Amino acid sequence: MLEIRSINKTFNAGTVNAKHALKDLSLTLNDGDFVTVIGGNGAGKSTMLNAIAGVFPVDSGEILIDGMDVTHLPEYKRAQYIGRVFQDPMMGTAATMQIEENMALAARRGKPRTLRAGITKGERAGYKEALAELGLGLEDRMTSKVGLLSGGQRQALTLLMATLQRPKLLLLDEHTAALDPKTAQKVLEATDRIVSQNKLTTVMITHNMRDAIAHGNRLIMMYDGHVVVDVSGEEKKNLTVEQLLNLFSKASGSDEVSDKLVLS
Amino acid sequence: MSRFVSFVNALPGAASQGLIWGIMAIGVFITYKLLDIADLTVDGSFCTGGATCAVLMAAGFDIGTAMAIAFMVGAATGLVTGFFHTFCGIPAILSGILTQLGLWSINLAIMGMKANTPLSVKNYDLLVSLRYLQDVQKGTRPFYQHPIFVVAVVTIVVIAILYWFFGTELGASIRATGANGNMARAQGINTDRNKVIGLMISNGLVAFSGALLAQYNSFADINMGRGAIVIGLAAIIIGDVLFSKIFRNFALKLLAVSIGAIIYYVVIQAVVSLSDMDSNYLKLISALIVALFLSVPYWKGKYIHGTKGFGKTKAGK
């Protein structure tokens, strides 16, 4: 479904601040894979997701989604294949627009924006139903401005919006990191439900190793701009946090364990 | 007392001018409020509209055609600013300044390298004119040719069209572009194209308003758009301060902008009629008033905790 062929990305190339963020990164995702991604700060996790989404062009290598080469497509064109939820709850929704307006915008992802009505009566019923499934009471506040919602509500709404049009690929960039533990748990539950219901191919970055083990069918660990550990199936199910830490030490070639990584 | 009488007598004229500038302010609203861009093109494109209309009338075009072309030429100036901003990566505010500067030469060229072009009501059939206002007051013309009535109808039509447009799929995607560019792109919206469309509609309306003012004044002048952006912002702010609590609907918000422009002109007229101040100080006063009103939300957020301005994030920029 997703094929990354040795992509490279250097930020601020040619300056003292040059940062080789992605180094010959390759990764292939099968249809229906739910991959959790862990790694220390600066390992290139978010950079990888942004490269897939087309936030910036890569320096070399190729990115294929469902066999199509999207390497040179701009971000907004790739969006027809990709659903995204960001770390910052403010980023995924338009605060000054209504809940239903946000959903109507998302429902038209990948379709031409015409002079037809931006939202129709028929759609509203569907949105209400989808919101009710979240169990956050948003179905009664369809015309509220999104800016009035809490961070958790906004992330749940963004998740719903990312999947209204079934994406070929769902990218979750630490989408629960900014939420309190209880809310984070709720959003993760919603994530599992939506992913399994729609059989979505998903990449989820997390800083929480228990979450990384508990969710998905495959786990990858990134270090220094590429994938260093890739476990799936039974092996992944039986992983422990301790084993993960050991794997990380081995992969990074030192006993030094990133503070962030232990934060679990 | 005579001063007060002269103020009252000047009110219909002030209201007419305010309504005309209100259409320009609605154009500024589209860029400033919906796209979150302070577009300085308007100082130039306002005159472009007036000059285009005056020159076309002199060339024998009818008023409808002349105003339609003025709108399109104005939209073209927005296209240029949008090109600078999206294709060349120049910051929006500087893009507008560049277009505005270039338009000074173009506006002169449109008027045959003269600083003004007459558009006398004696020679042409105009839509609005100061003369018509006087005629209606004298009773020699029917009331529906009064500039206040005519421009009010035009304003309502403009608001109705914009209300429809910003409710369409395309219009909603333009609003999303201004509200959160990240979100818009993630939902497959071409934000660059949308910014260009917004700038074109905005400057088209600004030029259309310039065409109306040239008719009202019976001439187009190279300096007629100077400070237009400030007048536009003043109208938006006055409308927002007075009506934001009661006008939630998008169409009503646009109406508030138009009313804001009328109030602005009535206040200016009051200052001119009722005080001894040299009217050359008006621009200074306008600038200071707008600066003050733009500061208030910032101060509220900074010094008074718990207000809605506090902690406002600027996502998508």
Side-chain angles (χ1 to χ4, degrees):
Chain A
M1 180 54 68
L2 171 71
E3 203 178 340
I4 300 175
R5 293 181 186 155
S6 56
I7 55 171
N8 279 281
K9 179 67 190 178
T10 304
F11 291 108
N12 304 314
T15 71
V16 286
N17 292 321
K19 163 90 179 140
H20 198 165
L22 297 178
K23 291 181 185 169
D24 280 327
L25 170 71
S26 294
L27 178 68
T28 303
L29 260 59
N30 302 315
D31 215 346
D33 264 357
F34 182 174
V35 183
T36 54
V37 184
I38 56 170
N41 277 336
K45 308 180 299 290
S46 289
T47 310
M48 174 177 75
L49 284 207
N50 287 336
I52 297 169
V55 176
F56 45 73
V58 292
D59 302 334
S60 64
E62 281 152 13
I63 300 168
L64 286 83
I65 296 175
D66 208 7
M68 284 169 296
D69 187 348
V70 299
T71 318
H72 301 290
L73 281 188
E75 186 181 0
Y76 76 90
K77 279 194 181 156
R78 287 189 213 187
Q80 61 183 300
Y81 312 119
I82 300 174
R84 286 154 78 193
V85 184
F86 310 93
Q87 180 173 358
D88 180 355
M90 304 296 151
M91 248 171 102
T93 44
T96 53
M97 296 174 78
Q98 300 167 353
I99 293 177
E100 60 178 31
E101 284 180 324
N102 272 273
M103 295 181 80
L105 284 164
R108 287 163 176 76
R109 184 157 45 78
K111 293 181 181 167
R113 315 266 168 176
T114 66
L115 292 179
R116 278 195 292 266
I119 181 165
T120 61
K121 268 197 184 131
E123 292 173 63
R124 285 197 180 95
Y127 299 158
K128 205 175 171 88
E129 209 172 297
L131 284 169
E133 273 191 58
L134 287 178
L136 297 170
L138 294 181
E139 65 275 16
D140 301 322
R141 302 173 60 187
M142 301 252 299
T143 55
S144 293
K145 297 273 160 72
V146 169
L148 298 170
L149 306 186
S150 70
Q153 288 173 325
R154 283 180 80 156
Q155 286 304 70
L157 177 62
T158 310
L159 181 67
L160 197 59
M161 284 164 57
T163 51
L164 270 181
Q165 271 287 335
R166 187 178 183 276
K168 289 183 187 292
L169 190 61
L170 178 63
L171 304 179
L172 309 171
D173 187 356
E174 289 192 57
H175 66 310
T176 59
L179 309 177
D180 66 83
K182 211 175 146 191
T183 314
Q185 200 50 45
K186 265 194 171 172
V187 172
L188 272 176
E189 279 163 19
T191 306
D192 272 341
R193 185 171 45 79
I194 289 173
V195 167
S196 63
Q197 264 176 11
N198 301 290
K199 299 183 181 63
L200 297 173
T201 310
T202 304
V203 184
M204 179 173 93
I205 298 178
T206 176
H207 263 132
N208 186 315
M209 290 205 264
R210 279 190 206 100
D211 287 344
I213 295 168
H215 299 268
N217 66 324
R218 186 173 163 191
L219 182 152
I220 64 172
M221 183 186 288
M222 288 184 73
Y223 176 74
D224 197 25
H226 57 277
V227 176
V228 289
V229 174
D230 186 343
V231 289
S232 51
E234 283 301 308
E235 193 189 353
K236 192 233 161 205
K237 266 187 206 158
N238 301 326
L239 267 179
T240 62
V241 171
E242 204 169 321
Q243 283 173 314
L244 260 186
L245 286 173
N246 285 337
L247 281 171
F248 182 79
S249 318
K250 242 186 268 169
S252 60
S254 77
D255 293 335
E256 159 209 16
V257 170
S258 155
D259 289 343
K260 267 288 190 182
L261 200 64
V262 193
L263 259 181
S264 54
Chain B
M1 204 56 210
S2 67
R3 270 188 176 173
F4 188 74
V5 171
S6 82
F7 169 61
V8 170
N9 286 337
L11 274 180
S16 306
Q17 285 205 48
L19 267 167
I20 292 172
W21 284 94
I23 294 174
M24 186 229 47
I26 289 172
V28 173
F29 182 93
I30 292 171
T31 47
Y32 184 71
K33 283 285 187 183
L34 295 186
L35 284 178
D36 203 10
I37 288 175
D39 175 32
L40 299 188
T41 314
V42 296
D43 279 27
S45 57
F46 189 76
C47 173
T48 306
T52 304
C53 180
V55 167
L56 286 178
M57 291 296 285
F61 285 80
D62 66 277
I63 186 66
T65 313
M67 292 189 67
I69 295 177
F71 178 91
M72 285 187 273
V73 176
T77 69
L79 177 67
V80 173
T81 300
F83 175 81
F84 284 152
H85 178 45
T86 60
F87 190 77
C88 306
I90 301 171
I93 199 155
L94 189 52
S95 301
I97 291 174
L98 291 174
T99 310
Q100 182 202 118
L101 181 67
L103 280 177
W104 197 80
S105 303
I106 289 176
N107 291 342
L108 281 173
I110 290 173
M111 294 191 286
M113 295 303 165
K114 288 197 214 77
N116 50 58
T117 299
L119 183 57
S120 173
V121 65
K122 281 182 228 139
N123 305 333
Y124 311 107
D125 237 351
L126 299 179
L127 195 61
V128 288
S129 168
L130 181 59
R131 176 71 63 87
Y132 294 174
L133 189 157
Q134 291 155 352
D135 288 352
V136 173
Q137 281 172 348
K138 274 185 266 171
T140 55
R141 270 179 194 278
F143 77 94
Y144 55 80
Q145 289 193 340
H146 195 291
I148 292 182
F149 184 81
V150 174
V151 186
V153 169
V154 171
T155 301
I156 288 167
V157 170
V158 166
I159 290 176
I161 293 172
L162 291 177
Y163 180 74
W164 163 77
F165 176 73
F166 283 104
T168 64
E169 293 175 338
L170 178 63
S173 78
I174 291 175
R175 285 188 291 138
T177 298
N180 185 346
N182 275 309
M183 173 268 193
R185 280 185 295 277
Q187 301 303 346
I189 292 167
N190 186 344
T191 50
D192 281 350
R193 188 199 61 176
N194 279 0
K195 282 183 193 170
V196 173
I197 295 175
L199 284 164
M200 289 178 73
I201 295 172
S202 167
N203 281 289
L205 283 174
V206 170
F208 184 81
S209 165
L212 283 173
L213 189 72
Q215 293 173 55
Y216 183 83
N217 289 338
S218 297
F219 64 91
D221 183 274
I222 188 68
N223 286 320
M224 66 190 282
R226 180 166 289 176
I229 182 74
V230 177
I231 296 172
L233 292 178
I236 291 168
I237 293 166
I238 294 169
D240 196 48
V241 166
L242 293 181
F243 299 110
S244 65
K245 289 272 189 307
I246 43 173
F247 285 3
R248 301 274 177 188
N249 179 286
F250 181 69
L252 291 178
K253 281 183 180 170
L254 295 180
L255 185 65
V257 174
S258 178
I259 298 173
I262 296 171
I263 293 173
Y264 175 86
Y265 267 90
V266 169
V267 170
I268 293 287
Q269 187 62 53
V271 173
V272 171
S273 304
L274 304 178
S275 78
D276 290 322
M277 200 188 69
D278 189 325
S279 63
N280 287 323
Y281 282 115
L282 283 176
K283 286 211 191 313
L284 175 66
I285 290 175
S286 306
L288 290 176
I289 290 174
V290 170
L292 181 72
F293 275 104
L294 287 176
S295 316
V296 169
Y298 176 75
W299 289 337
K300 260 191 185 167
K302 197 165 182 189
Y303 302 114
I304 308 170
H305 294 275
T307 59
K308 62 179 177 181
F310 184 71
K312 191 179 158 198
T313 51
K314 289 267 180 182
K317 270 195 270 179

